[in-house]
């Protein structure tokens, strides 16, 4: 459905704007990515409203997706698998956060230190057919952004102090950080990477 709609919109754009075929393909791909993201976010927000967990879903998405922008990580082979994984991890994180909010602060600090250590060693996680999608400068910029964003999440969770929301931030950040480890070219995985 997304591909068909993207194709139709790109085809309409080509006719209206008189663009080249190559530009049409770029527009079509961009529309696919955009519409795919919109559907995923609307699904998660809708489920959050249905289960009366909307603020928790928003906090999870800010934490996970914000850090993922900088740190990278593995991707699913299909959009549907990605959606299922997002729903599973989001609501799993929310469910688990109720049980583990009582973990001592020392353990939370340890988890944040582990997250930062993994980011220092592995970020950004690159996936795809080739290795080294980023230039060295881009890679360093992404790594710095990941570390800064992780520190912002740490401060945010610390300010929320022992709440379920604080647990959601830490779990979401840890899930994202762990998703970097299986990426191709990572010193911890020199194989083809893991794609769900």
């Amino acid at each position: 459905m997304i591909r068909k709609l993207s194709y139709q919109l790109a085809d309409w754009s080509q006719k209206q704007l008189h663009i080249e075929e190559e530009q049409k393909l770029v527009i079509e791909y961009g529309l696919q990515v955009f519409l795919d993201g919109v559907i995923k976010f609307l699904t998660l927000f809708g489920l959050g409203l249905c289960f009366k967990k909307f603020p928790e879903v928003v906090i999870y998405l800010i934490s996970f997706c914000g850090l993922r922008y900088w740190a990278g990580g593995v991707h699913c082979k299909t959009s549907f698998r990605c959606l299922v994984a997002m729903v599973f991890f989001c609501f799993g994180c929310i469910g688990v956060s109720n049980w583990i909010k009582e973990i001592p602060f020392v353990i939370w600090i340890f988890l944040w230190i582990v997250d930062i250590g993994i980011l220092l060693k592995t970020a950004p996680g690159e996936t795809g057919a080739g290795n080294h999608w980023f230039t060295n400068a881009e890679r360093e910029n992404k790594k710095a952004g990941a570390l800064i964003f992780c520190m912002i999440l740490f401060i945010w969770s610390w300010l929320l102090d022992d709440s379920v929301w604080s647990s959601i931030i830490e779990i979401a950040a840890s899930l994202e950080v762990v998703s970097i480890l299986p990426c191709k070219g990572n010193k911890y995985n020199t194989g083809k990477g893991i794609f769900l």
Side-chain angles (χ1 to χ4, degrees), residues 2 5 30-46 61 79 83 86:
I2 292 174
L5 181 59
L31 285 168
Q32 282 180 11
V33 172
F34 174 75
L35 292 173
D36 182 54
V38 167
I39 288 171
K40 287 174 186 167
F41 280 100
L42 289 178
T43 300
L44 285 166
F45 291 150
L61 289 173
S79 177
L83 175 61
M86 286 180 74

Side-chain angles (χ1 to χ4, degrees), residues 94-139:
I94 291 168
V96 169
S97 66
N98 287 314
W99 296 338
I100 63 172
K101 67 180 182 179
E102 303 300 324
I103 288 178
F105 188 69
V106 173
I107 294 175
W108 285 119
I109 293 290
F110 174 75
L111 290 172
W112 282 107
I113 290 170
V114 169
D115 289 346
I116 290 169
I118 291 172
L119 289 173
L120 278 169
K121 292 282 187 187
T122 62
E126 299 175 72
T127 59
N131 195 11
H132 307 299
W133 289 90
F134 299 122
T135 66
N136 285 335
E138 290 170 330
R139 199 172 289 114

Side-chain angles (χ1 to χ4, degrees), residues 6-136:
S6 299
Y7 174 79
Q8 290 172 342
L9 288 171
D11 194 47
W12 178 84
S13 297
Q14 183 181 32
K15 290 173 184 168
Q16 296 299 313
L17 302 173
H18 308 291
I19 58 176
E20 301 289 326
E21 184 67 24
E22 188 175 305
Q23 291 173 315
K24 175 190 167 193
L25 294 174
V26 171
I27 291 170
E28 185 178 346
Y29 174 75
L31 285 168
Q32 282 180 11
V33 172
F34 174 75
L35 292 173
D36 182 54
V38 167
I39 288 171
K40 287 174 186 167
F41 280 100
L42 289 178
T43 300
L44 285 166
F45 291 150
L47 289 171
L49 288 171
C50 287
F51 294 114
K52 298 179 180 169
K53 297 290 183 185
F54 187 78
E56 290 87 346
V57 169
V58 171
I59 288 170
Y60 174 85
L61 289 173
I62 290 170
S63 304
F64 184 88
C65 296
L67 188 54
R68 187 169 187 83
Y69 172 79
W70 294 103
V74 294
H75 291 278
C76 296
K77 283 185 179 179
T78 67
S79 177
F80 180 73
R81 287 181 187 177
C82 181
L83 175 61
V84 170
M86 286 180 74
V87 169
F88 175 77
F89 286 121
C90 180
F91 286 94
C93 172
I94 291 168
V96 169
S97 66
N98 287 314
W99 296 338
I100 63 172
K101 67 180 182 179
E102 303 300 324
I103 288 178
F105 188 69
V106 173
I107 294 175
W108 285 119
I109 293 290
F110 174 75
L111 290 172
W112 282 107
I113 290 170
V114 169
D115 289 346
I116 290 169
I118 291 172
L119 289 173
L120 278 169
K121 292 282 187 187
T122 62
E126 299 175 72
T127 59
N131 195 11
H132 307 299
W133 289 90
F134 299 122
T135 66
N136 285 335

